[in-house]
Amino acid sequence: MKYNDHSKPSDPILLSGYIDGEVDTAEKEAVESWVRESEPISNELAALKGVSSQIQTAYRLQLTEQDRSRFDRELMRRIEASRQEEGWIYRLFAQPFRSYMRLSWQWQAAMALLLMLLVYLPFMPGSTKNLDTPIFNTDLNGNIKIESEQNVGYDFILLTTEDDKEDEIGAPYQMYHHT
Amino acid sequence: MGEKELIQRVQNGDTEAFCALVESHRDSLIHVAYGFLHDKEEAMDAAQEVLLKAYRKIQSFKFESTFYTWVYRILVNHCKDRLRKKARKPTVSIEDLGQDGKVFDLPDHRSNPGERSAAHERDQLVRNAIDSLPEKHSKILLLRELGGLSYKEIAQVMKCQEGTVMSRLFHARKLLAQKLESIKEDLL
């Protein structure tokens, strides 16, 4: 049976399927046989068909060619108005995004990964100047510092083996020591 | 051209492809909307709004169902929303009122005015009876009787099994028959 393996020819819901032509050949023959043999079922089938007919009558609607043309024209007008509202900026971004969303999830993931790599590439290690803190005995430009007791006015970070010190405003700094 | 190709063309911005896509189902969409809204102009307006929604959302259509079942699903929800809004503010258009103040939806070309009036009342009773059915029954009845959708298509629209569609249709028709029978007895 098409809809219910356990349905017997006496299942009344098949009457509905029979009216709509939605039962297979075996079910159709079973229903027809049942209707022939049972007057109540025959009456029920007639009642159900009558209901369908009454619905068709109650909701009869005549659509003329004029109605159809008017409908199509108005629909196109609404669609064009909707497209105009979007604006060129929206279309500039929306169109690529829509194309992207139409891809399968595998392609979406691959493209997202590619985009991430393109953004990250300039910042990968070795690709730019080393911005780490300077080496122990060099200044920020990489020049080796010359130890001196004089104040040479270097404006760089001093390293120390002593405890941290603080300047006049309390900012910590470290003294460079000659070893 | 197949449905899939037409949809892909619409997704690329071809509005004429959209026209071709909707042409074969335009009448039944309007008819189903009429079943919910009971007014021809309103039904045509609702069908246009639904198709406009479908056009705007066509990029997100993933071919998991047919285009038409997708549109019918939008249509059913849209009509129900309209009815809810209307229920809050009931109005009747002046053009819809006949000389006797009753609402006419469609001119009846039967020759006898008495016959026309009786037929109109009978039609109104049927519509009221359908509107009074549980929502799952009335929706399925209108989709089948007015939209002509197959059980498979209705199952996709209503998100249920085909067997459930057949069962609900049977019970909907039976309920309606009982309601109409009791109304007829009351009138006699």
Side-chain angles (χ1 to χ4, degrees):
Chain A
M1 292 289 174
K2 192 178 176 186
Y3 291 103
N4 184 354
D5 286 339
H6 305 291
S7 70
K8 305 163 195 174
S10 55
D11 193 345
I13 69 168
L14 284 174
L15 295 176
S16 213
Y18 175 78
I19 291 170
D20 296 324
E22 293 273 355
V23 292
D24 59 31
T25 316
E27 286 167 334
K28 187 180 171 196
E29 284 171 6
V31 168
E32 284 170 352
S33 164
W34 191 27
V35 165
R36 277 194 302 270
E37 290 162 10
S38 167
E39 195 178 331
I41 292 301
S42 173
N43 293 338
E44 186 154 18
L45 182 65
L48 294 177
K49 281 184 177 174
V51 160
S52 283
S53 166
Q54 283 182 295
I55 294 172
Q56 297 289 339
T57 306
Y59 289 99
R60 68 192 176 286
L61 180 67
Q62 287 171 338
L63 286 173
T64 62
E65 279 310 310
Q66 210 176 0
D67 289 328
R68 293 186 182 97
S69 307
R70 184 164 54 98
F71 181 91
D72 290 344
R73 268 199 318 273
E74 182 59 24
L75 178 61
M76 282 300 110
R77 190 196 64 76
R78 285 182 167 188
I79 288 174
E80 284 306 317
S82 167
R83 282 158 63 92
Q84 301 264 334
E85 276 170 16
E86 284 175 5
W88 68 269
I89 294 175
Y90 178 77
R91 281 203 294 274
L92 185 66
F93 294 102
Q95 192 63 34
F97 180 71
R98 283 171 183 171
S99 302
Y100 173 77
M101 291 305 289
R102 286 206 301 271
L103 298 171
S104 65
W105 71 266
Q106 292 94 336
W107 278 107
Q108 286 182 9
M111 289 200 60
L113 194 62
L114 185 66
L115 192 64
M116 275 169 55
L117 282 172
L118 285 171
V119 169
Y120 181 62
L121 213 59
F123 299 99
M124 280 174 72
S127 62
T128 58
K129 207 173 184 177
N130 189 353
L131 299 175
D132 292 337
T133 52
I135 301 169
F136 182 76
N137 60 346
T138 60
D139 63 19
L140 287 174
N141 293 320
N143 302 318
I144 295 173
K145 279 188 303 196
I146 298 171
E147 296 166 9
S148 171
E149 293 296 327
Q150 293 177 350
N151 180 4
V152 296
Y154 283 118
D155 186 19
F156 54 83
I157 297 169
L158 303 176
L159 302 176
T160 183
T161 56
E162 290 186 352
D163 293 335
D164 291 351
K165 291 185 187 297
E166 289 182 0
D167 63 13
E168 57 275 9
I169 60 168
Y173 69 93
Q174 292 166 313
M175 287 298 296
Y176 176 76
H177 251 262
H178 171 63
T179 55
Chain B
M1 199 173 291
E3 178 185 295
K4 190 171 181 179
E5 285 162 5
L6 279 171
I7 293 170
Q8 283 168 346
R9 283 177 63 180
V10 176
Q11 286 173 336
N12 290 329
D14 186 349
T15 51
E16 283 188 17
F18 189 71
C19 277
L21 197 59
V22 306
E23 194 179 344
S24 56
H25 278 249
R26 183 216 299 115
D27 286 11
S28 53
L29 279 170
I30 295 171
H31 210 175
V32 170
Y34 180 71
F36 283 103
L37 303 170
H38 301 184
D39 180 87
K40 182 180 168 183
E41 290 304 317
E42 206 174 336
M44 288 176 71
D45 185 61
Q48 283 170 12
E49 285 182 6
V50 164
L51 289 169
L52 181 62
K53 271 189 197 176
Y55 179 80
R56 282 177 172 159
K57 300 240 180 244
I58 197 121
Q59 304 299 336
S60 60
F61 181 72
K62 293 192 192 308
F63 301 94
E64 288 163 1
S65 64
T66 65
F67 174 73
Y68 303 111
T69 55
W70 182 62
V71 172
Y72 276 109
R73 198 183 295 166
I74 300 173
L75 177 70
V76 167
N77 293 335
H78 182 81
C79 289
K80 282 294 167 188
D81 287 342
R82 271 204 174 202
L83 286 172
R84 265 183 233 121
K85 283 179 191 167
K86 249 174 122 174
R88 282 186 231 134
K89 299 182 202 176
T91 55
V92 174
S93 157
I94 291 170
E95 287 82 13
D96 289 338
L97 291 176
Q99 286 179 349
D100 55 1
K102 288 186 182 174
V103 176
F104 284 100
D105 287 323
L106 187 74
D108 196 321
H109 298 293
R110 277 169 266 210
S111 53
N112 186 342
E115 199 181 299
R116 278 205 294 276
S117 179
H120 175 76
E121 276 195 37
R122 200 168 46 239
D123 293 346
Q124 196 59 44
L125 286 172
V126 172
R127 290 184 206 171
N128 291 344
I130 290 175
D131 288 344
S132 68
L133 291 175
E135 197 174 292
K136 61 182 180 185
H137 288 140
S138 62
K139 273 187 196 174
I140 223 165
L141 209 49
L142 293 174
L143 284 171
R144 174 64 211 168
E145 298 291 353
L146 304 184
L149 272 67
S150 68
Y151 282 18
K152 186 178 175 184
E153 288 167 339
I154 296 173
Q156 286 179 350
V157 174
M158 303 291 288
K159 296 182 190 176
C160 61
Q161 303 293 321
E162 286 180 51
T164 308
V165 172
M166 184 161 67
S167 172
R168 281 186 189 169
L169 264 174
F170 169 76
H171 290 295
R173 282 167 173 155
K174 194 162 180 186
L175 261 174
L176 187 61
Q178 286 167 359
K179 278 182 185 281
L180 293 175
E181 197 58 43
S182 67
I183 290 169
K184 207 193 315 184
E185 282 169 8
D186 289 343
L187 288 175
L188 288 171

